[in-house]
């Protein structure tokens, strides 16, 4: 990241929106719900890199039924793919077939819904038996395309958040909580 | 770069690029909704949302003016929702647009794509690529030189050069599908003309 100031994990945080304890409790709650709803089945948890990694790692351990995991990576607008093809691309596809499987997309945050809308269409084309969405954070104020979320952790206000996998310029992902950055962090970029 | 509509504002062009990137179908300004009629039933005010997303049956109005200047647009939107309660429309403010650019790591181009800075000037195309600076407005001397060259070319080709004011009848009336680079002021004028041509409000 090209920035004049040196990032400071502690002092760059303006406000802790969701604490580590709150996240832990919510993940346990979601895990219990999923274990109940998918009882007798083996669910395939599909996580989208990179932001969803901490949530996926915690959620899979909170699920008490058989579960498999898979990872995908999708190019983002503004990245290098914008300059080449001008279209969203699958940078890392699923490792195994999901044909006839119960698939749960594990997302860190849903705001515009653009990436997830693309992903849903892509995964539906692979004929899963069921396809549901579990999102830790839902920011409905920014929604551009409507997405039906089956399992929702927290509905958050219209603020740019980092931490617990979420980044700003690839930083702050390792914060154990969800936080709002000080405005000067952006303006210094 | 594929040819598309001439957007009135750089923010609209950027949003269209984002929709294209995520393969979301969009239509630019497909409809004009009458929202106010005079006592004779003639449309005096209308609203043309910037985008329509057919897959989501959603209209989207993007306004990157300062928050304090969007009161009029908010009022029009309220009126639109009163008159067309089944219509799904979302207003995307400057702060929303900036947050979108922040999310995609493009906050550096926010200033050039919001407010008056991002507005298209009549006759001048918007930058082809996001973040590219808008072309400088041609000077009076440059315009005069251009007119002189055009006249010389026309003379050489023996094409009569119109002098004086062009009669209004020779200027084609705008249509709902016309796409010309224009500022917000000209859009309002166009909307008024469009509104006048719309049918009267049903009794």
């Amino acid at each position: 990241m090209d920035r004049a100031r040196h990032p400071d994990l502690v002092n760059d945080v303006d406000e802790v929106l969701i604490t580590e304890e709150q996240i832990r409790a919510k993940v346990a709650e979601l895990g219990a719900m999923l274990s109940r709803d998918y009882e007798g089945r083996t669910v395939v948890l599909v996580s989208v890199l990179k932001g969803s990694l901490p949530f996926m790692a915690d959620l899979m351990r909170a699920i008490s039924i058989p579960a498999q995991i898979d990872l995908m990576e999708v190019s983002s607008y503004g990245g290098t793919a914008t300059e080449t093809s001008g279209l969203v691309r699958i940078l890392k596809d699923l490792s195994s077939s999901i044909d006839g499987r119960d698939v749960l997309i594990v997302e860190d945050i849903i705001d515009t819904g653009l990436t997830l809308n693309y992903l849903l269409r892509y995964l539906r084309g692979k004929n899963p038996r069921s396809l549901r969405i579990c999102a830790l954070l839902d920011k409905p104020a920014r929604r551009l395309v409507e997405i039906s979320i089956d399992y929702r952790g927290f509905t958050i206000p219209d603020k740019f958040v980092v931490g617990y996998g979420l980044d700003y310029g690839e930083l702050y992902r390792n914060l154990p909580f969800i936080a709002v950055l000080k405005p000067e962090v952006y303006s210094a970029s | 770069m594929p040819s598309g509509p001439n957007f009135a504002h750089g923010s609209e062009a950027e949003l269209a690029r984002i929709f294209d990137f995520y393969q979301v179908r969009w239509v630019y300004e497909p409809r004009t909704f009458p929202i106010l009629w005079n006592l004779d039933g003639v449309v005096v005010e209308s609203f043309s949302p910037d985008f329509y997303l057919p897959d989501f049956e959603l209209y989207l109005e993007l306004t990157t003016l300062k928050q304090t200047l969007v009161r009029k647009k908010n009022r029009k939107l309220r009126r639109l929702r009163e008159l067309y309660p089944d219509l799904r429309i979302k207003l995307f403010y400057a702060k929303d647009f900036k947050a979108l650019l922040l999310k995609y790591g493009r906050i550096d181009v926010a200033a050039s794509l919001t407010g008056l800075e991002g507005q298209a000037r009549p006759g001048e195309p918007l930058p082809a690529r996001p973040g590219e600076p808008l072309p400088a407005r041609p000077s009076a001397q440059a315009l005069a030189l251009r007119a002189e060259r055009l006249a010389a070319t026309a003379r050489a080709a023996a094409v009569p050069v119109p002098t004086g004011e062009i009669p209004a009848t020779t200027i084609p009336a705008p249509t709902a599908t016309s796409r010309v680079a224009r500022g917000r002021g000209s859009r309002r004028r166009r909307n008024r003309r469009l509104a006048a041509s719309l049918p009267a409000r049903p009794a």
Side-chain angles (χ1 to χ4, degrees):
Chain A
M1 186 169 65
D2 182 25
R3 46 194 301 175
R5 61 190 295 285
H6 186 71
D8 184 329
L9 280 188
V10 177
N11 291 318
D12 287 355
V13 169
D14 192 31
E15 175 195 357
V16 175
L17 206 61
I18 303 168
T19 65
E20 204 174 344
E21 290 72 29
Q22 286 174 310
I23 294 172
R24 198 177 299 128
K26 185 59 77 177
V27 170
E29 187 186 317
L30 289 169
M33 283 171 71
L34 291 166
S35 303
R36 189 190 61 223
D37 292 356
Y38 285 93
E39 195 177 356
R41 289 181 275 171
T42 300
V43 64
V44 182
L45 306 176
V46 173
S47 179
V48 186
L49 294 170
K50 306 172 191 168
S52 305
L53 269 183
F55 181 42
M56 173 71 142
D58 288 344
L59 186 69
M60 62 188 273
R61 287 177 292 169
I63 293 174
S64 57
I65 55 160
Q68 293 178 350
I69 64 162
D70 213 332
L71 301 169
M72 287 189 77
E73 188 171 8
V74 181
S75 65
S76 174
Y77 183 76
T80 49
T82 313
E83 311 303 327
T84 52
S85 70
L87 290 175
V88 63
R89 282 187 298 129
I90 302 287
L91 299 176
K92 191 218 165 286
D93 207 342
L94 296 171
S95 304
S96 311
S97 167
I98 55 166
D99 193 350
R101 307 294 304 273
D102 293 301
V103 175
L104 181 75
I105 299 175
V106 177
E107 268 283 30
D108 49 352
I109 186 168
I110 300 176
D111 50 10
T112 62
L114 289 167
T115 306
L116 194 54
N117 172 63
Y118 172 79
L119 208 59
L120 280 170
R121 279 188 292 145
Y122 180 78
L123 292 177
R124 275 191 199 119
K126 292 180 175 285
N127 303 312
R129 186 174 116 172
S130 68
L131 185 60
R132 290 184 184 172
I133 298 163
C134 177
L136 179 68
L137 306 175
D138 178 20
K139 197 197 284 185
R142 291 265 182 262
R143 194 80 84 248
L144 280 171
V145 298
E146 288 309 313
I147 299 280
S148 173
I149 304 170
D150 302 283
Y151 302 93
R152 179 185 289 104
F154 303 93
T155 299
I156 60 165
D158 192 6
K159 291 179 176 177
F160 186 79
V161 291
V162 295
Y164 198 63
L166 294 156
D167 76 306
Y168 172 62
E170 291 296 330
L171 291 168
Y172 309 101
R173 291 190 196 273
N174 54 327
L175 288 173
F177 44 76
I178 306 288
V180 179
L181 290 180
K182 288 175 181 166
E184 54 262 36
V185 177
Y186 311 128
S187 53
S189 302
Chain B
M1 175 133 178
S3 63
N6 290 324
F7 295 100
H9 202 275
S11 57
E12 295 169 357
E14 183 71 4
L15 191 59
R17 283 186 204 105
I18 293 171
F19 285 143
D20 282 345
F21 184 81
Y22 288 103
Q23 296 170 32
V24 172
R25 293 192 304 147
W26 56 271
V27 189
Y28 185 62
E29 290 188 344
R31 271 189 74 180
T32 297
F33 296 92
I35 56 169
L36 193 66
W37 293 259
N38 66 13
L39 290 173
D40 298 324
V42 176
V43 176
V44 291
E45 197 172 19
S46 60
F47 191 92
S48 304
D50 293 321
F51 289 95
Y52 178 62
L53 310 181
D55 295 330
F56 306 99
E57 295 178 354
L58 177 74
Y59 285 92
L60 197 69
E61 175 67 13
L62 178 61
T63 178
T64 58
L65 294 170
K66 284 181 182 171
Q67 203 64 26
T68 49
L69 300 174
V70 297
R71 200 174 297 151
K72 188 180 175 188
K73 194 157 272 190
N74 283 335
R75 181 190 61 76
K76 287 179 89 171
L77 197 71
R78 273 198 303 276
R79 180 81 180 140
L80 185 78
R81 284 180 173 142
E82 282 167 14
L83 290 166
Y84 307 91
D86 295 332
L87 199 76
R88 293 181 63 230
I89 182 160
K90 193 177 169 83
L91 189 57
F92 218 57
Y93 295 103
K95 64 182 172 70
D96 301 320
F97 184 68
K98 282 179 182 167
L100 199 65
L101 295 179
L102 180 65
K103 172 187 159 78
Y104 294 126
R106 300 192 55 79
I107 196 68
D108 54 317
V109 298
S112 64
L113 292 176
T114 54
L116 293 172
E117 187 69 23
Q119 202 161 291
R121 294 155 186 156
E124 292 173 14
L126 281 163
R129 296 210 63 78
E132 194 176 285
L134 285 165
R137 191 186 294 271
S139 64
Q141 290 97 321
L143 286 171
L145 189 65
R146 195 185 298 170
E148 205 173 282
R149 281 185 190 148
L150 278 171
T153 310
R155 274 196 300 274
V159 175
V161 180
T163 53
E165 198 173 325
I166 301 169
T169 49
T170 64
I171 301 170
T175 64
T177 53
S178 66
R179 298 283 180 262
V180 289
R182 56 189 175 264
R184 289 286 172 182
S186 62
R187 178 192 281 194
R188 277 199 295 276
R189 284 194 293 279
R190 184 198 61 140
N191 281 349
R192 267 190 232 117
R193 282 196 297 270
L194 267 176
S197 68
L198 288 167
R201 186 184 194 174

